[in-house]
Amino acid sequence: MIHYLFSYKKAYKHLIDIDLTVPTNGDKELCFQLPAWRPGRYELGDFAKNIQKWNAFDENGNELPFQKTTKDCWKVECNNTSSVTITYNYYANELDAGSTYLDENQLYVNPVNCCMYVVGRENSACQLELEIPSDYKIACGMKMNGDGYLFANSFDQLAESPFIASNSLLHNEYIVDGITYHLWIQGKCKPDFEKVKADFIGFTKAQVECFKSLPVDDYHFLFQITPYPSYHGVEHTNSTVILMGDKEDVFKTKYDNILGICSHELYHTWNIKAIRPKEMLPYDYTKENYSKLGYVAEGVTTYMGDLMLKRGHVFNWEQFIKTQNENLKRHYENDGRHNLSVADSAFDTWLDGYSLGIPNRKTSIYADGALNMLMIDLFIIKYSEGKHSLNDVMTELYEDYRNSGYTEDDFQQLCVNYGGLKVSEVFNNHIYGTVEYTKTLTESLSYVGFELVKTNNSSLSAHKFGFISIVQNGKHIIKKIQNSCEAESKGIAVDDEILSVNGTAVNDSKLNDIIKDTDEVVTLEIKKRFETIKVKLAGGDFYPIYTLKMMDKASDEQLILRKVWAK
């Protein structure tokens, strides 16, 4: 049995002391590996940068010789010893849904950040001992063993089991089909638990009905609530961590966001935790795990997570349409859609998948992936005359590839089998190509009595002059410029600062308020890295907004297929 001990002395210093004890089993040397990334975020995290001290000892407390062989692997010489204990500390001062954090109020750990494993013994059982105040409760998907320790049957299960220990945890639960779903909340808020449980039961039932069973024995929603704006979620085998914050109570100000992210993360219990690309079965924690199937892992989950809120009678049509409009906005405001396909963007998440990156380089496996799944779902519904949907694809994927992993061909062939030639065209043109979406979206939506409506962007700088800016430290910084617009041709670029419009300074003003009072031709004062320029621009029509709208008069067939879509 591999034993981890977590303790700390001064919580305000954010340093966790970790002891890892393992029997040598006669081995002359052992290698201790810290993961370089965490599942759910396909980029290197290099967690070893948070380790301050590292030592190794035998069963009698004598120091053992060791050397660091890579950035995050240590080799210990252990000849003639029965066990090895390594001791190290981990700096835990980052609070998001995938990090590790310690302060006077809580010990919050994602074990994949800070727990090492013995190379070659990844499948060994392990236990976690916590030296914490006696009044602390523990929120975690792991079970307690007879010694009162958290228990995992392998490192993979340990890595997938975040926990919060605190004396201020709120707890409630609900049951669907005999399975208990726990709601753990750390942070100040006043949730209406009866409403929360009713809504969670709605989308949970919709998802379980799709797959016919939950692949785990119980499930835990771990909420980290912050008193400042925040939004993040990470899925795990039988739990998820949700970071959500606002200046006011998020269960009042951001309740729809909470529902959306929780439905998304629960759907991951099947899609990516149980149904995994072959390249990620098993996970290799030491390096990148390349795959083009991010459009399935995140695209399907984004789309189906929102759809399950509609099918579970948690969202009405207006709320569901809003989620799809957000995906459309992200797609049409990103000229990277002309450059890199969704599949290639998935492969490249390991480079810059979670940042804006260089201008117009890539698409989003979330928003663009979801739009592709929307189109595929509607083509399947139409082709099968309402007998099948994308849900049948995911159910078959779950039943046939749960233990073996699936390939790109496996997923594409399943979709085409259910949806025919039109689905094949979506893969060729949009998932593996960069063909414009509008025509295909319009056709697929028409089958269920919806249309794609084009309107002007509410941002006047985007609509009239083709650039989108954000305010950073009181400065208006340009972040996007539409290809081939006049602003681009006259030398304005991403990361330039807007100083004034027609001589009016913009530092403390909203850009929209200034532009709405200007003529069709404006003079912008732009600060570049080494110089300031003045540019005269004529108004145009850029960055249009596309939204979904129910047709005023839908046919009987469209209404029938719409009911199939929404269940």
Side-chain angles (χ1 to χ4, degrees):
M1 179 77 70
I2 296 175
H3 183 88
Y4 298 84
L5 170 64
F6 275 66
S7 63
Y8 54 89
K9 297 178 180 65
K10 298 177 180 179
Y12 64 88
K13 296 183 73 172
H14 309 295
L15 284 169
I16 303 172
D17 296 314
I18 303 173
D19 295 356
L20 168 55
T21 301
V22 57
T24 60
N25 296 341
D27 290 337
K28 295 182 179 180
E29 61 183 32
L30 295 175
C31 290
F32 294 86
Q33 176 72 52
L34 187 70
W37 68 287
R38 60 170 178 77
R41 193 161 183 101
Y42 308 113
E43 67 177 359
L44 293 178
D46 293 332
F47 306 122
K49 63 180 178 289
N50 294 319
I51 292 177
Q52 185 188 65
K53 299 177 181 179
W54 204 100
N55 285 288
F57 303 90
D58 66 13
E59 64 274 15
N60 298 313
N62 300 312
E63 288 195 32
L64 293 172
F66 68 87
Q67 62 176 326
K68 196 173 184 180
T69 58
T70 69
K71 63 182 178 181
D72 44 29
C73 185
W74 290 256
K75 182 170 68 175
V76 178
E77 296 179 20
C78 50
N79 198 18
N80 299 322
T81 64
S82 61
S83 70
V84 170
T85 297
I86 62 168
T87 66
Y88 59 99
N89 59 8
Y90 188 88
Y91 186 66
N93 192 25
E94 183 179 4
L95 183 58
D96 63 31
S99 63
T100 293
Y101 181 76
L102 169 68
D103 67 10
E104 299 88 337
N105 301 308
Q106 66 169 314
L107 170 65
Y108 161 50
V109 173
N110 273 275
V112 74
N113 300 161
C114 57
C115 286
M116 298 188 181
Y117 62 87
V118 180
V119 176
R121 300 191 194 179
E122 292 87 345
N123 293 321
S124 296
C126 48
Q127 58 187 13
L128 212 65
E129 179 183 357
L130 307 181
E131 286 189 359
I132 52 178
S134 59
D135 62 342
Y136 271 30
K137 294 179 181 179
I138 301 173
C140 186
M142 281 187 287
K143 302 294 190 295
M144 290 280 187
N145 65 13
D147 298 320
Y149 303 146
L150 294 170
F151 175 83
N153 58 25
S154 66
F155 180 79
D156 192 59
Q157 184 183 12
L158 174 64
E160 284 285 291
S161 301
F163 65 85
I164 303 172
S166 172
N167 62 5
S168 56
L169 277 166
L170 298 179
H171 178 257
N172 216 306
E173 60 188 40
Y174 64 94
I175 297 174
V176 172
D177 289 355
I179 301 293
T180 300
Y181 296 77
H182 298 268
L183 302 170
W184 299 95
I185 302 177
Q186 174 66 24
K188 292 182 180 180
C189 58
K190 294 181 179 179
D192 179 348
F193 274 117
E194 293 310 307
K195 176 174 175 53
V196 170
K197 288 193 290 184
D199 289 336
F200 275 53
I201 287 171
F203 71 72
T204 300
K205 280 185 175 180
Q207 296 192 23
V208 173
E209 286 173 3
C210 287
F211 292 99
K212 302 180 178 62
S213 66
L214 189 76
V216 291
D217 296 331
D218 62 359
Y219 194 84
H220 300 256
F221 292 93
L222 278 61
F223 290 92
Q224 287 281 3
I225 306 298
T226 66
Y228 51 82
S230 62
Y231 180 91
H232 189 207
V234 176
E235 72 278 1
H236 299 282
T237 303
N238 72 330
S239 65
T240 179
V241 180
I242 307 295
L243 181 84
M244 190 71 68
D246 203 351
K247 294 178 181 178
E248 301 177 39
D249 191 337
V250 292
F251 281 89
K252 294 182 175 65
T253 63
K254 292 185 176 180
Y255 186 58
D256 279 3
N257 296 100
I258 289 174
L259 293 172
I261 197 170
C262 288
S263 182
H264 177 106
E265 302 302 343
L266 180 61
Y267 196 87
H268 269 312
T269 309
W270 294 274
N271 187 28
I272 200 56
K273 292 299 139 187
I275 314 167
R276 199 181 299 177
K278 189 176 286 288
E279 299 94 328
M280 295 184 179
L281 197 69
Y283 291 130
D284 185 339
Y285 292 102
T286 68
K287 62 182 182 181
E288 299 92 334
N289 289 209
Y290 292 108
S291 172
K292 289 189 175 184
L293 287 164
Y295 66 86
V296 181
E298 298 300 344
V300 170
T301 303
T302 299
Y303 169 65
M304 295 297 276
D306 292 332
L307 187 61
M308 292 302 152
L309 290 166
K310 178 66 182 73
R311 289 183 175 181
H313 308 290
V314 181
F315 275 6
N316 57 30
W317 274 115
E318 182 181 354
Q319 289 168 298
F320 173 69
I321 289 170
K322 182 181 177 182
T323 66
Q324 304 311 295
N325 289 345
E326 289 169 354
N327 293 333
L328 288 167
K329 187 174 189 294
R330 290 178 66 185
H331 170 73
Y332 281 105
E333 283 190 352
N334 177 17
D335 279 347
R337 71 186 190 273
H338 303 302
N339 182 58
L340 207 63
S341 71
V342 183
D344 288 335
S345 295
F347 194 87
D348 270 13
T349 53
W350 292 96
L351 279 176
D352 58 358
Y354 298 91
S355 65
L356 190 59
I358 67 171
N360 306 328
R361 198 183 88 80
K362 65 183 186 300
T363 56
S364 166
I365 60 174
Y366 295 84
D368 293 70
L371 292 175
N372 277 286
M373 294 310 126
L374 165 66
M375 293 186 284
I376 287 174
D377 193 17
L378 297 181
F379 281 132
I380 292 174
I381 291 171
K382 172 66 174 178
Y383 181 78
S384 66
E385 298 179 340
K387 297 182 181 66
H388 299 291
S389 69
L390 181 62
N391 180 69
D392 293 284
V393 172
M394 298 308 295
T395 301
E396 192 166 336
L397 208 64
Y398 176 58
E399 292 172 348
D400 293 349
Y401 296 96
R402 178 178 175 182
N403 297 316
S404 59
Y406 66 95
T407 67
E408 295 174 65
D409 287 342
D410 294 330
F411 180 75
Q412 181 170 348
Q413 192 58 56
L414 273 175
C415 290
V416 173
N417 288 347
Y418 280 105
L421 179 61
K422 287 292 184 181
V423 168
S424 181
E425 290 176 355
V426 172
F427 277 94
N428 292 334
N429 294 337
H430 308 310
I431 293 178
Y432 290 95
T434 57
V435 176
E436 175 69 27
Y437 284 20
T438 306
K439 181 180 178 181
T440 313
L441 277 169
T442 300
E443 180 181 354
S444 62
L445 289 165
S446 70
Y447 298 149
V448 289
F450 274 77
E451 55 188 338
L452 200 60
V453 178
K454 180 181 177 182
T455 58
N456 293 336
N457 199 309
S458 60
S459 166
L460 295 180
S461 64
H463 165 52
K464 287 188 173 184
F465 306 114
F467 65 83
I468 296 173
S469 65
I470 63 173
V471 178
Q472 294 179 330
N473 300 319
K475 299 177 180 180
H476 290 259
I477 307 298
I478 294 174
K479 287 301 177 183
K480 292 182 181 180
I481 298 180
Q482 187 151 82
N483 285 336
S484 303
C485 71
E486 188 180 14
E488 182 191 49
S489 66
K490 289 191 173 181
I492 298 178
V494 168
D495 291 334
D496 287 350
E497 179 187 353
I498 306 167
L499 298 178
S500 68
V501 178
N502 287 347
T504 301
V506 301
N507 53 332
D508 295 321
S509 306
K510 291 183 178 179
L511 203 56
N512 256 24
D513 292 340
I514 297 175
I515 293 177
K516 71 180 182 182
D517 295 325
T518 64
D519 297 326
E520 286 302 307
V521 177
V522 299
T523 298
L524 301 181
E525 186 179 13
I526 303 293
K527 183 179 180 182
K528 303 178 77 65
R529 185 179 294 263
F530 296 112
E531 63 179 337
T532 298
I533 63 174
K534 288 188 177 181
V535 178
K536 183 175 288 187
L537 298 178
D541 183 10
F542 306 100
Y543 284 122
I545 295 294
Y546 289 86
T547 56
L548 301 189
K549 180 180 179 296
M550 280 189 180
M551 294 179 179
D552 294 331
K553 293 183 180 180
S555 68
D556 289 342
E557 181 187 10
Q558 287 171 324
L559 292 174
I560 290 171
L561 295 184
R562 185 188 296 170
K563 287 181 180 179
V564 172
W565 183 32
K567 298 291 184 185

